[in-house]
Amino acid sequence: MTKDTKITNPAGNKHDEDVGRRVAVKAGLLAAVGIGSGALFHGLTSVARADKAPRSTSGPKTQGQADPDIGELARADVDGYAGRTGEKRVGVPTTCMQCIAACGVIGYREKGRIVKIEGNPHCPNNRGMICAKGQAGVNQVYDPDRLLYPLVRTGKRGEGKWKRLSMKDALDLLAFGGEIAGRKVDGLKTIYESDKPQEFMFHYGRSRIKNAMNHFQKTAFGSGTQGNHTSICETAKWLGNELTMGKHYDVNDAAYSKYILIFGANVLEAHTSHSYIAQRVIEAKAARAKIVTFDVRLSNTAAKSDEWVPVLPGTDLAIILAMTNVLLNETVNGKVLYDEAFITKWSNVTIEELKAHYARYTPEWGESESGVPADTIKRLAIEYGSNKPSSIITYRGFVGHYNGAQAEWASKTLDALAGNFNVKGGITTKLGGKCKDGYNDKAAKDHADLTRKAVKFKISDGDDLHMPTHHSCQWIHEMIAEGSHGRPKIYMTYVYNGAYTTGDCQRNREILCNEEYIPFIVAVDVAMSETAACADLILPDATYLERWAMESAASYAQKKFVQIRQPVVKPLGESMDMQDIFIQLARRIGGGINTLHPYDTAEKYVRTCVELQTADNAKSGKMFYDSNDQPLKSDPWEYFKRYGVLLQGNKPSYNTHAKAVSAEGKTVDAKTGVVWDPHKAHVSDTDVASKGYTGSKNAYKGYVGQQIDGKTYAGFKPDKFNKSGRFEIRSGFMPSAAEKVMADIKDFLTPEEAPWVAEHLKSGLPSWVPVPEHRKRTDKQLVMISFKVNVQIHSRSQNCKWLQEVYHTNPAWLNPATARKMLGKGVKEGDLIRIKSEMPELPWRKGKGSTSVSEITARVHLTEAIHPDAIAVSYHCGHWAYGRYASGNPVEVEGGNTGAEPAGENIWWQEGNKAAKDPTQWSEVAGVHPNWIIPNTPARVSGQFRSNDTIVSIAKA
Amino acid sequence: MAAENNSSSAQATDSALPTALRLLASVFAREADQPLLDQFIARRDELTDVLGRDPLGALTADNALEALAVEYCHLFIGPKGHLPPVESIVLGEGQLWGPSTEAVVEFYERCGIASRSDERTFPDHISMELDCLAMLEETDRHAEAGNFAHLHLLRWLPGLLAHVQANASLAFYPAWLEGLQATLADEYPQTDK
């Protein structure tokens, strides 16, 4: 020991000069005598000593290093490349999950660590390109706040007191129940063995493991009490798809379009198929297609368009209806603009019927509702109708309203009228690859006697909604609190953060933290979330770069393909793939659910899917193709792992509805011309005779084709309800919504318009429905909308440091003229303002339509790039329980903040810029979340979360 | 102290440092388990003598296990306001498995050391770095241990200690970390001094 060394610990307790030696010797003796060194920690082991660096890849295996038998994508520009560590960089093809687009990516691993992500050139959708969000996926794995171990609550629910459990103990607790913070809870096994399996609820966010999830919960466990997250995104859009074109998910074949209309869709920044539709829109632009964007804001998409048309929020439907009127009545060079042949053959209306119905919706009427000049509406409608193929792209800005489903229905009608459906450069129905499923097509069939018919609490579809075909997730908490439809005993969330992503956040928290409502909440997630903060037990999920799955996205190459998700590195800590958690729970519960999970790991399950499809190909004559569109000659599983994709078609497929199908041995419904298989739909002969196709429950499941002029075609295949195989512009499912909708809106209509609006709603044709509350908005009020930016996803990317560095606060966009009018002439950029919800409550909501918190504060961004009657606050920001990057609450240590770069590099966590203690108030480092003041009240027809409808007032703070 | 009054052989004294390092590694590797805690409670006076203060404070045999588990989670695991006791985080690299982790792994490799195959703790976790020191000391590689301590553990221990002292609700972890820092400073003094 060096005699002149003096140690002063930071607490100020001076140690004498030999204190360290004393501790060492005494502690060593204490341990040796009292504990025994064998019981002490040994995390390392001796291996062959490496004398010089760099090391070879065959060196000691370290945590995070993937198994050597995982497929590796050799690329000319990568092979032999020695990265920063001097080791060869290994590329593993997999699938991005930063957003829902599911781009093919390659994760590069160097010395056991992911060092880079780039696009997979073999993926037909993104063709080697990815966005900033995809590149930042590295941050998901190495987030310092990542959940690495199971945690169990030790304090009150939501209080923030936890302790770690081993994964074994955590799974035991979930399976067998036990005591949590002094309160006994039942486990899954008890519920499974009871006569109420529906008391197990599973609520998922962006899961991408739908088959495994449904197999565990529904087929094997017997519970159908399930929630999703679709209504905060596009439930209304999918209903509009289903009413007309059948199965949901419309694909804009944008690269070949000559004219593109964009309504409320931020295609170049944040679309549902983001990177690959964005690149195709740009290709169209390069080919001199015209792009016109209708949006409340001048988004980056609008800025790249040929024209930006500012829209009053919630009035896009009026513009669509007026454009349809123009298309029906105008001619160019003596030619009509509509495609009469398509309408006559494939739809269920005539041009004359449409002309009569749309007569009221003149451009001048459209102007009166939307503020868009009639001349503009007319000009753009003519351009759209005379520059074919053309296409309309819509999304949340368009459908996140009371009238979203009607708007989507009307837009699909306009596309059909223009003759754009299923044509190259138009709009197509979804083509998605599919492999046989190891659970549905094997385990469930091998052990059919052990499967269960799922029963559920009816809490996912709201109350008194018309057609929530994709449910109404934002109202689930309220349904649980209300209780009359049943309450889950175990509420298990999987990467779902409803406490933050739905409206009225305070109410969400109150309900989730009430143990009387829900006895046992389990959250499975990669990182802490606002929902997980209210849980009893947290299980750490493997990130999307650490796990297996069979992936399939809607094909923008117009040919089917499947895509692999495989681990680039092993799961860190004790995190575990949710699919493996299902298997481990099944083992514990035992009995039939165990037998129904025959695979030991998710990897074996995914491999089985490919093997089953390979076997089916051999029997059916189908085949896999390689990424060069050639028949695959090598082993499909090995190819899949190595290149990441398996093509199931080798040329673009259009006009899929006109494909001939066989009606042999099937039933023809006289009323609709639908050819169907009642047996497949489990419809009895009696019902076939008495109720026919349209009246028999779930008859659509037996749909085969549509007879037209004596021939049977694939048609527009229905989903969710018994629509025919025609393109149904007139919907038999919508007149019955008229009564509910009129009850909501009648007090907001003028005496002159109420009769015709009611009549139109009953017509079954696309009709005008105003956002009711907006009709009583005063000139001192604005409509608050939300939006997404190009470097963030809705709520799950804010733990990514690289993305947060770029976008971490969300000042409220406000037109300067509006600001001067409402806040005074002295208002300036960056002023702090109060945004107060003044949303009237619809009678239907019976006191549950407003928010628990009525006001937030935000800095203002003065810009003419927004409609003067709107204020826009983006998503992404204002987290209060999602780690240091999202919340702006760095953990401070001596010498600087932790979680950012070393001292001096903290670009947004400078001293003094602390996160607000009250998350409803503006934070200089994390912004504010608008959802505190957005009501959860669903859109009456679809159940859509009305993210863009809230009426607010503003004032200086 | 009982151990000192024992016939404490020279052999025992020689093994004291690596054993002490392993004990310290055990304290920080995970929450105290019952056997470890039983020993701490049974030998509380000796422990107080070792660390210069009573690390158990007001804890009793009835509540210590739970309280220390919650404290460990609060300080090191999270999910909020914690500081993972790994070099890459405490040094402000902003990510798990950062450049520091790579450097640690490379050091292990040069020394013929690797993580156990079933070990899922980060290589630059405080317990792993202490285990590395213990292994080096066991094989009489004191100079290498000193080099490692100065390249790694001693660089970030003050930051971790500051966080723990500022956020701990119990004396346990501050006491052990202070003891650890003093031990390392004594055993591996700066060579230029």
Side-chain angles (χ1 to χ4, degrees):
Chain A
M1 179 179 161
T2 308
K3 287 293 178 188
D4 60 354
T5 301
K6 291 283 183 183
I7 305 294
T8 303
N9 74 40
N13 300 328
K14 285 190 177 179
H15 287 236
D16 62 39
E17 59 193 20
D18 63 352
V19 64
R21 169 67 59 164
R22 193 178 74 204
V23 171
V25 173
K26 289 183 179 179
L29 293 173
L30 174 70
V33 173
I35 298 161
S37 59
L40 297 176
F41 179 75
H42 288 75
L44 299 169
T45 188
S46 294
V47 294
R49 187 169 177 149
D51 293 327
K52 52 186 178 181
R55 310 293 307 159
S56 72
T57 50
S58 58
K61 190 174 174 180
T62 54
Q63 185 194 21
Q65 188 165 336
D67 288 334
D69 63 347
I70 288 178
E72 295 171 357
L73 187 66
R75 292 186 56 195
D77 58 336
V78 173
D79 264 358
Y81 170 72
R84 180 159 46 89
T85 63
E87 295 215 3
K88 180 183 174 186
R89 191 170 277 192
V90 176
V92 181
T94 187
T95 301
C96 186
M97 211 176 86
Q98 284 284 64
C99 80
I100 194 64
C103 292
V105 295
I106 304 169
Y108 289 102
R109 184 180 71 235
E110 193 176 311
K111 215 172 181 65
R113 175 171 173 266
I114 304 174
V115 293
K116 177 180 174 57
I117 297 171
E118 66 179 8
N120 182 355
H122 298 280
C123 178
N125 268 358
N126 59 299
R127 304 177 294 189
M129 290 173 263
I130 57 169
C131 67
K133 293 167 280 194
Q135 305 232 12
V138 176
N139 294 165
Q140 293 282 4
V141 181
Y142 303 116
D143 171 14
D145 291 315
R146 183 176 163 187
L147 293 167
L148 293 169
Y149 309 98
L151 301 175
V152 65
R153 172 171 67 87
T154 60
K156 292 178 183 174
R157 195 180 276 176
E159 186 183 0
K161 285 188 175 176
W162 305 88
K163 68 175 180 180
R164 169 163 65 173
L165 290 182
S166 68
M167 184 57 93
K168 176 188 174 301
D169 289 346
L171 292 172
D172 283 348
L173 176 59
L174 177 53
F176 306 122
E179 193 172 295
I180 296 174
R183 197 169 192 266
K184 286 194 174 178
V185 294
D186 285 339
L188 287 171
K189 185 176 174 68
T190 301
I191 297 175
Y192 175 74
E193 292 172 349
S194 77
D195 60 354
K196 288 189 176 177
Q198 66 268 40
E199 289 181 331
F200 165 47
M201 178 167 186
F202 194 82
H203 201 160
Y204 61 95
R206 185 164 296 133
S207 71
R208 310 296 297 180
I209 53 167
K210 192 172 183 180
N211 287 345
M213 179 181 78
N214 284 340
H215 179 76
F216 177 84
Q217 194 204 358
K218 293 182 176 177
T219 308
F221 197 97
S223 171
T225 310
Q226 193 180 80
N228 62 6
H229 77 292
T230 309
S231 62
I232 58 171
C233 294
E234 73 287 84
T235 279
K237 179 173 173 65
W238 297 156
L239 176 58
N241 285 187
E242 287 153 0
L243 288 169
T244 51
M245 57 187 253
K247 286 184 80 71
H248 76 276
Y249 207 108
D250 51 332
V251 172
N252 299 91
D253 197 29
Y256 306 106
S257 292
K258 291 181 178 172
Y259 198 94
I260 298 173
L261 289 176
I262 299 173
F263 278 88
N266 199 355
V267 178
L268 300 185
E269 294 191 72
H271 198 55
T272 182
S273 46
H274 173 47
S275 80
Y276 38 92
I277 194 170
Q279 58 185 259
R280 285 168 171 84
V281 167
I282 293 300
E283 285 172 17
K285 188 170 174 62
R288 300 187 179 279
K290 181 168 180 177
I291 300 169
V292 178
T293 294
F294 291 80
D295 203 310
V296 180
R297 287 185 317 123
L298 179 67
S299 64
N300 283 328
T301 302
K304 291 285 184 188
S305 302
D306 295 277
E307 286 187 45
W308 167 50
V309 185
V311 180
L312 180 64
T315 65
D316 311 66
L317 170 59
I319 298 165
I320 292 278
L321 293 171
M323 291 181 84
T324 309
N325 172 293
V326 175
L327 211 73
L328 284 162
N329 294 295
E330 293 294 327
T331 58
V332 173
N333 298 327
K335 291 183 178 177
V336 297
L337 298 174
Y338 52 80
D339 184 340
E340 186 163 12
F342 180 89
I343 296 297
T344 303
K345 180 168 183 178
W346 294 104
S347 85
N348 60 350
V349 294
T350 65
I351 292 293
E352 294 311 312
E353 287 174 319
L354 291 175
K355 282 185 175 177
H357 178 78
Y358 278 84
R360 182 177 287 277
Y361 301 125
T362 61
E364 290 71 24
W365 171 86
E367 178 178 347
S368 72
E369 292 293 343
S370 69
V372 177
D375 288 348
T376 302
I377 293 174
K378 185 174 179 180
R379 173 175 57 82
L380 296 176
I382 291 172
E383 288 179 4
Y384 164 80
S386 54
N387 287 283
K388 297 175 187 175
S390 48
S391 179
I392 303 174
I393 304 175
T394 65
Y395 209 62
R396 182 161 33 190
F398 185 69
V399 300
H401 300 285
Y402 181 88
N403 57 12
Q406 289 91 340
E408 182 68 13
W409 176 22
S411 84
K412 289 290 159 288
T413 296
L414 180 53
D415 261 330
L417 193 62
N420 287 324
F421 250 92
N422 282 337
V423 301
K424 187 175 182 179
I427 189 164
T428 67
T429 46
K430 176 185 175 182
L431 279 173
K434 189 178 181 184
C435 270
K436 291 287 179 184
D437 183 65
Y439 284 127
N440 292 338
D441 297 311
K442 182 163 176 56
K445 288 183 176 173
D446 288 349
H447 306 285
D449 57 319
L450 298 174
T451 62
R452 292 181 169 188
K453 183 175 172 57
V455 289
K456 65 180 179 182
F457 290 137
K458 294 180 179 176
I459 57 177
S460 300
D461 293 342
D463 49 354
D464 208 16
L465 302 178
H466 181 58
M467 293 179 79
T469 50
H470 292 261
H471 316 296
S472 192
C473 75
Q474 78 277 11
W475 203 248
I476 285 176
H477 296 148
E478 204 63 65
M479 294 293 284
I480 290 174
E482 196 273 335
S484 65
H485 295 275
R487 289 174 176 155
K489 274 189 176 175
I490 296 179
Y491 177 65
M492 188 171 184
T493 64
Y494 175 52
V495 290
Y496 176 68
N497 192 10
Y500 174 93
T501 55
T502 67
D504 199 354
C505 303
Q506 181 60 26
R507 179 69 175 150
N508 296 335
R509 291 207 293 185
E510 288 168 1
I511 294 171
L512 287 172
C513 287
N514 189 327
E515 294 177 40
E516 299 305 312
Y517 291 157
I518 313 170
F520 190 3
I521 299 179
V522 185
V524 185
D525 215 322
V526 170
M528 194 62 180
S529 72
E530 284 72 20
T531 297
C534 301
D536 301 301
L537 176 67
I538 297 174
L539 301 179
D541 183 31
T543 68
Y544 68 88
L545 294 164
E546 300 167 321
R547 59 185 176 87
W548 292 90
M550 174 62 72
E551 284 283 354
S552 171
S555 175
Y556 276 65
Q558 305 295 342
K559 52 189 177 186
K560 294 180 180 179
F561 68 95
V562 290
Q563 198 166 294
I564 199 169
R565 175 178 309 291
Q566 61 183 329
V568 182
V569 291
K570 280 187 170 179
L572 294 183
E574 283 205 83
S575 62
M576 185 181 280
D577 182 341
M578 185 71 225
Q579 296 169 110
D580 288 324
I581 289 175
F582 287 141
I583 293 168
Q584 293 302 315
L585 289 171
R587 298 285 176 272
R588 282 164 170 78
I589 296 169
I593 194 171
N594 184 32
T595 308
L596 283 163
H597 286 79
Y599 312 106
D600 292 335
T601 63
E603 177 185 1
K604 288 180 180 172
Y605 157 65
V606 173
R607 180 174 186 154
T608 300
C609 296
V610 174
E611 290 172 348
L612 288 172
Q613 187 60 48
T614 303
D616 186 70
N617 284 355
K619 280 192 293 184
S620 64
K622 297 175 187 170
M623 62 175 64
F624 287 128
Y625 300 89
D626 65 22
S627 60
N628 294 316
D629 295 328
Q630 299 302 309
L632 187 65
K633 292 176 180 170
S634 56
D635 176 73
W637 175 244
E638 294 304 321
Y639 184 90
F640 200 33
K641 287 196 298 179
R642 186 167 176 77
Y643 293 96
V645 294
L646 284 170
L647 271 60
Q648 295 181 295
N650 65 345
K651 54 188 176 185
S653 181
Y654 296 101
N655 288 311
T656 50
H657 62 282
K659 181 184 170 189
V661 297
S662 171
E664 190 176 336
K666 303 296 188 278
T667 301
V668 181
D669 182 67
K671 182 177 169 188
T672 59
V674 168
V675 179
W676 64 305
D677 181 351
H679 176 72
K680 188 179 177 187
H682 305 292
V683 175
S684 68
D685 291 345
T686 309
D687 281 354
V688 172
S690 62
K691 299 177 181 175
Y693 171 80
T694 51
S696 298
K697 187 178 179 184
N698 292 333
Y700 72 91
K701 291 182 177 177
Y703 176 88
V704 173
Q706 177 70 39
Q707 274 201 347
I708 296 174
D709 301 332
K711 294 180 181 176
T712 306
Y713 300 95
F716 294 91
K717 186 179 181 181
D719 193 16
K720 310 289 186 189
F721 45 86
N722 300 341
K723 173 192 150 302
S724 75
R726 289 184 181 273
F727 191 97
E728 291 198 345
I729 292 175
R730 185 188 295 280
S731 177
F733 302 93
M734 293 303 280
S736 55
E739 191 176 335
K740 287 175 184 170
V741 172
M742 281 306 293
D744 286 348
I745 69 174
K746 62 178 170 34
D747 293 343
F748 301 89
L749 299 174
T750 64
E752 292 74 29
E753 62 187 347
W756 74 259
V757 168
E759 182 191 341
H760 269 215
L761 284 173
K762 290 174 187 168
S763 71
L765 290 169
S767 301
W768 173 238
V769 175
V771 175
E773 301 93 333
H774 291 189
R775 283 304 189 87
K776 291 191 175 175
R777 184 173 63 87
T778 70
D779 61 2
K780 294 180 179 175
Q781 294 174 319
L782 301 168
V783 180
M784 185 178 78
I785 64 157
S786 59
F787 64 95
K788 294 199 281 190
V789 301
N790 57 355
V791 295
Q792 296 279 11
I793 57 171
H794 189 147
S795 69
R796 306 194 57 76
S797 59
Q798 292 75 48
N799 57 333
C800 294
K801 175 173 175 275
W802 299 345
L803 302 178
Q804 282 293 96
E805 284 176 343
V806 180
Y807 190 87
H808 48 268
T809 56
N810 55 342
W813 289 36
L814 188 63
N815 192 293
T818 307
R820 285 191 294 273
K821 185 177 79 175
M822 293 189 173
L823 302 171
K825 290 182 179 176
V827 63
K828 57 185 185 301
E829 175 78 7
D831 278 355
L832 197 63
I833 63 169
R834 291 186 283 124
I835 306 173
K836 184 180 182 184
S837 173
E838 296 186 352
M839 190 69 163
E841 195 171 80
L842 297 178
W844 164 56
R845 291 287 27 124
K846 301 166 190 167
K848 291 190 290 188
S850 56
T851 52
S852 308
V853 169
S854 63
E855 190 175 284
I856 58 174
T857 58
R859 297 245 174 242
V860 69
H861 170 47
L862 300 178
T863 172
E864 291 177 347
I866 185 169
H867 194 286
D869 288 332
I871 185 167
V873 184
S874 83
Y875 285 121
H876 322 301
C877 297
H879 279 283
W880 59 93
Y882 196 40
R884 66 200 67 188
Y885 298 126
S887 66
N889 275 321
V891 178
E892 293 182 3
V893 297
E894 189 179 36
N897 294 334
T898 292
E901 299 298 334
E905 298 294 328
N906 301 326
I907 60 172
W908 84 94
W909 286 342
Q910 294 93 339
E911 191 175 346
N913 282 344
K914 305 293 185 187
K917 288 185 177 176
D918 177 355
T920 69
Q921 301 300 301
W922 176 259
S923 159
E924 303 296 353
V925 290
V928 69
H929 189 37
N931 287 27
W932 291 101
I933 59 170
I934 301 177
N936 273 323
T937 305
R940 195 61 176 276
V941 169
S942 66
Q944 174 77 37
F945 176 50
R946 299 171 58 190
S947 51
N948 302 313
D949 276 349
T950 307
I951 293 174
V952 300
S953 65
I954 58 172
K956 276 194 174 179
Chain B
M1 180 177 171
E4 286 179 324
N5 294 335
N6 199 333
S7 58
S8 49
S9 62
Q11 187 180 2
T13 307
D14 288 345
S15 66
L17 179 58
T19 309
L21 291 166
R22 284 247 160 70
L23 176 63
L24 289 157
S26 302
V27 167
F28 295 106
R30 52 185 65 93
E31 305 83 350
D33 59 14
Q34 195 64 57
L36 191 65
L37 195 58
D38 287 346
Q39 286 298 322
F40 288 165
I41 291 171
R43 307 170 81 88
R44 189 169 193 153
D45 292 343
E46 297 162 52
L47 200 59
T48 303
D49 183 45
V50 166
L51 297 173
R53 60 165 158 156
D54 179 8
L56 294 172
L59 295 174
T60 67
D62 291 337
N63 67 12
L65 195 68
E66 177 80 359
L68 287 176
V70 173
E71 179 80 340
Y72 187 93
C73 196
H74 166 64
L75 292 172
F76 303 128
I77 295 178
K80 191 174 183 181
H82 61 294
L83 189 62
V86 297
E87 184 171 335
S88 62
I89 297 300
V90 180
L91 285 183
E93 290 167 7
Q95 58 183 330
L96 296 166
W97 207 281
S100 293
T101 322
E102 286 177 1
V104 167
V105 171
E106 285 176 8
F107 189 96
Y108 291 168
E109 289 175 353
R110 285 197 297 274
C111 294
I113 291 171
S115 297
R116 289 178 183 272
S117 60
D118 59 345
E119 183 57 57
R120 301 188 78 178
T121 306
F122 291 95
D124 57 341
H125 191 277
I126 185 172
S127 58
M128 298 288 262
E129 294 198 4
L130 284 168
D131 198 22
C132 170
L133 292 177
M135 289 183 71
L136 294 172
E137 293 291 351
E138 280 170 346
T139 50
D140 295 327
R141 289 188 277 175
H142 185 74
E144 281 180 89
N147 188 27
F148 180 73
H150 283 284
L151 281 173
H152 296 287
L153 199 47
L154 278 169
R155 286 178 61 217
W156 58 279
L157 205 52
L160 182 66
L161 177 59
H163 165 76
V164 168
Q165 287 173 329
N167 293 283
S169 57
L170 303 172
F172 189 82
Y173 289 107
W176 277 108
L177 270 180
E178 288 160 10
L180 168 61
Q181 177 154 296
T183 300
L184 297 185
D186 268 5
E187 292 298 332
Y188 310 112
Q190 290 283 5
T191 52
D192 58 352
K193 287 188 178 177

